[in-house]
Amino acid sequence: MKILVLNGPNINMLGIREPEIYGSLTYDDLVSMITKHCENKGIEVQCLQSNHEGTLVDYIQQAYFDKVNGIVINPAAYTHTSVALLDALKAVSIPTVEVHISKVDERESFRQLSYVSYYASRTIIGKGFEGYLEAIDFLADGGN
Ligand code: CA2
């Protein structure tokens, strides 16, 4: 079982500002948490982050050639704008879970639309870092 965890723009700034929305843990803390969780479950995992839409598209395409079994994606701000990420996910046709750390449904109206949701099997919101682990477990348990 091979999972790609993909994070979009500014997720590398977690813990630095806006702790009331995103918590005080950092991106490195997130990666450690995911790595440990996957080690315990015998899941092979790769965690990647980019601030660039095209790079995220490249990572999704590469997942196809790397025979990745599942993608966990927090597209961050590109959630609300990117048809390119949606198309990339559709193109590779890999089971995908969308994760948002914050309660996007209770925030600004521009955060209410997610293009990636048109493809994702599940969207997990407002559970902090735990949401990523839940998404991994869902994919590892054969959810698609
Ligand atoms: O709740 C989420 O996980 C989001 O995907 C996070 C994005 C936001 O644009 C989405 O609407 C919801 C933001 C990523 C992190 O942004 C930071 C901003 C300030 C300080 C640290 C991180």
Side-chain angles (χ1 to χ4, degrees), residues 9-27:
N10 297 308
I11 297 283
N12 57 319
M13 299 295 280
L14 287 177
I16 295 171
R17 289 194 52 221
E18 300 197 67
E20 65 287 358
I21 301 177
Y22 302 113
S24 53
L25 297 175
T26 64
Y27 176 68

Side-chain angles (χ1 to χ4, degrees), residues 1-69:
M1 182 76 191
K2 219 176 180 180
I3 287 182
L4 170 65
V5 179
L6 204 49
N7 278 289
N10 297 308
I11 297 283
N12 57 319
M13 299 295 280
L14 287 177
I16 295 171
R17 289 194 52 221
E18 300 197 67
E20 65 287 358
I21 301 177
Y22 302 113
S24 53
L25 297 175
T26 64
Y27 176 68
D28 284 349
D29 293 329
L30 174 63
V31 173
S32 304
M33 198 182 278
I34 291 169
T35 306
K36 274 187 206 131
H37 184 79
C38 289
E39 259 170 30
N40 289 338
K41 300 218 159 193
I43 297 167
E44 190 183 334
V45 70
Q46 183 180 31
C47 296
L48 298 173
Q49 186 275 332
S50 177
N51 294 326
H52 305 281
E53 188 175 17
T55 304
L56 293 165
V57 169
D58 290 343
Y59 288 156
I60 292 168
Q61 291 183 5
Q62 190 57 46
Y64 174 81
F65 298 107
D66 291 346
K67 300 193 180 344
V68 164
N69 307 105

Side-chain angles (χ1 to χ4, degrees), residues 9-11 13 17-18 22 74 76-77 80 100-102 104 111:
N10 297 308
I11 297 283
M13 299 295 280
R17 289 194 52 221
E18 300 197 67
Y22 302 113
N74 182 347
H80 320 298
H100 296 287
I101 297 164
S102 67
V104 272
R111 295 188 205 271

Side-chain angles (χ1 to χ4, degrees), residues 65-138:
F65 298 107
D66 291 346
K67 300 193 180 344
V68 164
N69 307 105
I71 296 175
V72 174
I73 186 168
N74 182 347
Y78 291 136
T79 306
H80 320 298
T81 61
S82 182
V83 178
L85 289 179
L86 170 63
D87 285 347
L89 290 167
K90 283 170 124 175
V92 300
S93 195
I94 297 171
T96 295
V97 177
E98 176 186 4
V99 172
H100 296 287
I101 297 164
S102 67
K103 293 178 179 166
V104 272
D105 57 333
E106 295 177 6
R107 298 181 65 191
E108 302 94 326
S109 57
F110 63 83
R111 295 188 205 271
Q112 304 313 313
L113 170 66
S114 166
Y115 288 96
V116 164
S117 286
Y118 284 91
Y119 176 76
S121 312
R122 268 190 76 187
T123 300
I124 298 171
I125 61 168
K127 295 190 175 177
F129 286 6
E130 278 300 317
Y132 290 85
L133 308 185
E134 196 176 311
I136 289 165
D137 291 346
F138 176 80

